[in-house]
Amino acid sequence: MAAPIIRRALLYVPGSSKKMLHKSRGLNVDCIAYDLEDSVTPGKKAEARHNLRHLLEQSRAPGIREQAVRINSVESGLALEDLQEVLKSPNLDALVLPKCNSASDLNFLTDVLRQTLPLRHPSNPNSSHHTPPIRLIALIESAKAIQNLASICAASPYLSGLIFAAEDFAHDLSLTRTPSLTEFLYARSAIATAARAANLPSTIDLVCTSYAGPEGQKTLEEECLNGKGLGFNGKQVIHPSQVEVCQRSFSPGEEEVEWAVRVVVADEKAARMGRGAWTLDGKMIDVPVVRKAKAMVERARLCGVDVDVVRGKWSNQEPE
């Protein structure tokens, strides 16, 4: 069975820069999206494909959970050439599809994947930990894409997440990005809601363009927490210095983990007593709250928190 997916930070690395590709292997990051699209000039596309083919044939770097490639959009006419090269790579985990405007864009990728890598289809019973299904992550960049979210989310069994591309969306709607990000509220809420409704594990928020120095890091953290409040569970990053802030911000905090563990421990005791609802710290705890707590405990495990130690601390917690 494939490992659970967590993408608190998705870092873009230009496929045309051998120096950056080499340095990326020393990072600790949930997902690296090696780029063949915006950061690669037209004259460097073939070279970048070759670079990524070579990179993804190497042994896996220990600090990278997921290795993805952002191909060129279907409408660009370059996607098939990208796929023909990178799908030969044994250590490719995911594809990031830019400018996904409709279900047909994902249908194209799905058809290519089924024909090229039939053993890595999500429904294949022969899929294993060593050959998990290829995953797709779709970039939502336009008004048309927002209107088509329901059909996009249902378009492919390979789909495992949505990404909001703010700059292209702003261009499409002639918007000016402001520090408050309120101009993107509808689009971001729509993306997070659609992904949740489709049971997609990842909702990845917009890039923070400010990252240099303490002020940049503060802005980044504020954006992370703002996105988390809207239902996003990860963020795109464009520089390695942004990774730690994102991965910390999108992990459950210490107080959150302690609350969740207390709820889970007490609920186990309440269940043995036949109690479906009870209180903790004077607040009612019922089935939806318990589900939230259990999900938070599981996410904490994925983020590297030693949940067993926390459980030991609160082993005497009783339902009130």
Side-chain angles (χ1 to χ4, degrees), residues 2 36 47 56 59 63 74 111 122 126 132 161 200 208 212 253-254 259 263 286 288 295 311:
L36 291 173
E47 179 184 338
L56 294 170
S59 59
V74 174
D111 289 342
N126 296 317
L200 301 179
C208 177
E254 183 177 341
W259 170 84
V263 170
D286 56 7
R311 278 189 70 104

Side-chain angles (χ1 to χ4, degrees), residues 50-314:
H50 176 78
N51 291 344
L52 296 191
R53 169 84 181 278
H54 174 71
L55 179 81
L56 294 170
E57 286 176 345
Q58 298 178 44
S59 59
R60 287 180 172 272
I64 302 172
R65 289 179 185 244
E66 182 179 51
Q67 297 186 132
V69 171
R70 179 166 70 170
I71 62 172
N72 289 280
S73 66
V74 174
E75 67 181 21
S76 73
L78 299 172
L80 186 57
E81 291 178 80
D82 294 341
L83 293 170
Q84 287 171 336
E85 191 69 15
V86 300
L87 290 182
K88 298 172 185 175
S89 304
N91 292 320
L92 175 70
D93 301 314
L95 294 167
V96 177
L97 176 64
K99 299 175 177 61
C100 182
N101 290 321
S102 66
S104 62
D105 294 319
L106 284 167
N107 294 156
F108 171 79
L109 260 68
T110 299
D111 289 342
V112 174
L113 287 171
R114 280 179 170 151
Q115 293 183 36
T116 309
L117 297 174
L119 293 179
R120 298 188 68 182
H121 187 275
S123 65
N124 191 308
N126 296 317
S127 290
S128 69
H129 177 71
H130 298 290
T131 58
I134 289 285
R135 299 181 282 265
L136 298 181
I137 318 170
L139 273 154
I140 304 302
E141 310 191 29
S142 67
K144 182 178 180 181
I146 295 294
Q147 292 297 303
N148 289 333
L149 277 172
S151 59
I152 286 172
C153 288
S156 175
Y158 296 93
L159 187 65
S160 75
L162 300 178
I163 305 173
F164 178 50
E167 302 308 320
D168 287 274
F169 185 80
H171 174 73
D172 189 42
L173 272 71
S174 299
L175 300 175
T176 299
R177 178 171 176 158
T178 64
S180 70
L181 303 177
T182 53
E183 60 277 1
F184 299 129
L185 180 59
Y186 171 73
R188 293 165 77 206
S189 295
I191 289 168
T193 302
R196 180 65 262 163
N199 202 30
L200 301 179
S202 288
T203 46
I204 303 173
D205 204 6
L206 44 69
V207 167
C208 177
T209 55
S210 301
Y211 60 86
E215 283 302 310
Q217 294 287 294
K218 180 182 177 183
T219 299
L220 173 62
E221 183 172 22
E222 289 172 350
E223 283 194 15
C224 287
L225 297 178
N226 175 267
K228 189 175 180 179
L230 287 174
F232 286 86
N233 55 27
K235 193 170 183 68
Q236 300 165 88
V237 296
I238 53 175
H239 192 274
S241 66
Q242 296 179 309
V243 170
E244 191 278 330
V245 172
C246 291
Q247 297 194 164
R248 172 167 40 82
S249 298
F250 284 101
S251 299
E254 183 177 341
E255 291 184 2
E256 290 178 304
V257 175
E258 295 220 345
W259 170 84
V261 167
R262 290 177 67 200
V263 170
V264 170
V265 169
D267 184 67
E268 291 168 356
K269 296 177 181 180
R272 289 195 290 269
M273 300 175 193
R275 296 170 60 183
W278 43 279
T279 61
L280 180 70
D281 298 336
K283 297 180 180 178
M284 189 184 78
I285 306 295
D286 56 7
V287 173
V289 177
V290 173
R291 286 177 182 159
K292 177 182 176 181
K294 288 180 176 179
M296 188 173 294
V297 168
E298 178 57 28
R299 184 167 178 84
R301 286 190 191 276
L302 293 176
C303 294
V305 176
D306 193 336
V307 174
D308 293 333
V309 169
V310 184
R311 278 189 70 104
K313 177 181 176 181
W314 292 102

